[in-house]
Amino acid sequence: MMQNVHLAPETDEDDLYSGYNDYNPIYDIEELENDAAFQQAVRTSHGRRPPSKTSLASSIGRPMTGAIQDGVTRPMTAVRAAGFTKAALRGSAFDPLSQSRGPASPLEAKKKDSPEEKIKQLEKEVNELVEESCIANSCGDLKLALEKAKDAGRKERVLVRQREQVTTPENINLDLTYSVLFNLASQYSVNEMYAEALNTYQVIVKNKMFSNAGILKMNMGNIYLKQRNYSKAIKFYRMALDQVPSVNKQMRIKIMQNIGVTFIQAGQYSDAINSYEHIMSMAPNLKAGYNLTICYFAIGDREKMKKAFQKLITVPLEIDEDKYISPSDDPHTNLVTEAIKNDHLRQMERERCVEVVKASQYVELANDLEINKAVTYLRQKDYNQAVEILKVLEKKDSRVKSAAATNLSALYYMGKDFAQASSYADIAVNSDRYNPAALTNKGNTVFANGDYEKAAEFYKEALRNDSSCTEALYNIGLTYEKLNRLDEALDCFLKLHAILRNSAEVLYQIANIYELMENPSQAIEWLMQVVSVIPTDPQVLSKLGELYDREGDKSQAFQYYYESYRYFPCNIEVIEWLGAYYIDTQFWEKAIQYFERASLIQPTQVKWQLMVASCFRRSGNYQKALDTYKDTHRKFPENVECLRFLVRLCTDLGLKDAQEYARKLKRLEKMKEIREQRIKSGRDGSGGSRGKREGSASGDSGQNYSASSKGERLSARLRALPGTNEPYESSSNKEIDASYVDPLGPQIERPKTAAKKRIDEDDFADEELGDDLLPE
């Protein structure tokens, strides 16, 4: 078998597949770009002539399939292997990236004189001229700025004509045109060439292709205002206001301020008031508030001028001092604020400020600034810093010393340190006997010690020095009330009401005087005025309910008591009255919710839980009543009334627990008898001393006559309900422990302090009038 097998000799160099990958490089289509003959044939008609059979290979340069050329056999297929071949090893260089071609031919440079290049160059020149015009304006060279703006306008028109010749009108640069025209109009305006400025603005406004150009009517309104053409100025301001969307509130407010200023200069104060009132209701600011006060002054409306000034002083000051006040509760922000509050930069800033003030013509205001600084610390509740500053000012001249001592006296009085308050009040009075605030504070310290006659003398002296000192007039009314001189007290508060028409405190005091004079109808009338000023005050509403209850008008009493409960649902007296009202009208279920509320407020008072159980029993829900009595007995195991009702209910229901509760009741009653005998024997042994103590106690309780009598009336009302002979309703008034604190009463009853915040304010008031009457 092996005889028929012929092995190939190892020295045989013939390859069965040789020649298949060998081909002439000129056949590669990637080299056609560098083939000069082929490129010439493509560009001329030579390549479009029909080839002949004899010249096919020579003309195209592509041999037939399988042909042999230069000793290299063309492969029979168009697919050849990638990479190295024998032909490449025999002499051809490996260049897969065709790097042997050399560098690419350079790009053809655009011609500098092409229309597009000229247009771009002209646009650049126009932009540069606009920038130069703006820079010249900021440097104060208005004429140069106008010349540059005119040059920019001329070149921009040339640019537009050239672009129209090259491209369609849609390709015109509208932003560049707008900026050139707007800058030109602005430069005309600052150079007081108002006619040219208005014409230029009209060109912009009338061109529909400029979006949001209508806002420029505000600038046109400014020009008409400078020309004193007020009607046209207002017209253009209003047209500009119509163009501004409602979301841009800041711009709308500024336009409305300009409208108000125009009305002021035109003498139309009523129209100006409408504009400024709208601004103060939407976004209050100092300029609008100041001009509104001026307008009311011009028309002579003093009351509205006072209100406008009150609104003005509530507007926050736009000063850098706020950066040292933490705006939020963020711990990191608070740490940063504390770090910069007294650093070296802040100290230097403070020193420079003081030095500048002392070196100026307003050196007298330096002390005033220190007092305002102390007031700022008071607003921040930093009382130690305020006291420190005021004590330093106390050592200066008499006028400043009196102002500082007055504020110190007010501070110590509010802190209930009446000794220090009296001491500083004396210093303030001795430094300036004509200071009404110092005399008022001195009267307050005497009032706190109970010497009402002497306090009235200080208040009268303060009023003689300054008849507009409302604190002294208010305090003298309180003093007359304490002295039971009700007619004189009423005269004082009525005079004060003529000065402060909407003061809730004054109105309340007038109503209180009428109540003390036993004139409930007048008291109700004045309290209704208080409600019109502060409709959500719960104490005033409950007082109205009490007065209507005395008059026998239960429906009105219920209405005001219910309103008081709605705004402050923690007043025990109000809750008790409402619960008693529903018991009286036999709405037991509604009464329950009020007594449950009372039991939550006073969980240690057994009375309210007994009332809840009683309401369940009267409504027929005996099981719920029994559960409530049991729960009450667990909380108050020594309460006799609760045990009596448990014995009664368990007996009626036939429960076995009745005997156990009866034994507990008997034991408690026996202990109660023993306790009463001990008390009686002890009372007989120390009757004299006990009588003295009771006499002093009764004298003290006389000061709170109105509060105690009110509690007695409410307890009497509960005892007057059906079934008052039942033990759970016989609780004494001592169990009522009202936790409600009158939010208005203590402030009303308390004398008002007076603080001197500024010194010689009238010296500078006239200088402020007339400022800030020009539009922004």
Side-chain angles (χ1 to χ4, degrees), residues 178 181-190 193-207 210 213-224 236:
Y178 181 87
L181 292 174
F182 178 71
N183 180 60
L184 181 60
S186 301
Q187 302 308 329
Y188 276 135
S189 178
V190 296
M193 301 173 67
Y194 298 131
E196 291 83 354
L198 289 172
N199 291 334
T200 309
Y201 279 127
Q202 283 285 7
V203 172
I204 302 174
V205 171
K206 290 184 177 181
N207 194 332
F210 295 139
I215 192 64
L216 294 181
K217 291 181 180 178
M218 180 176 62
N219 292 9
M220 299 175 72
N222 290 343
I223 293 175
Y224 282 121
F236 276 89

Side-chain angles (χ1 to χ4, degrees), residues 420-437:
Q420 288 284 354
S422 179
S423 174
Y424 280 104
D426 290 335
I427 294 173
V429 171
N430 294 332
S431 301
D432 185 3
R433 188 70 187 183
Y434 298 99
N435 184 354

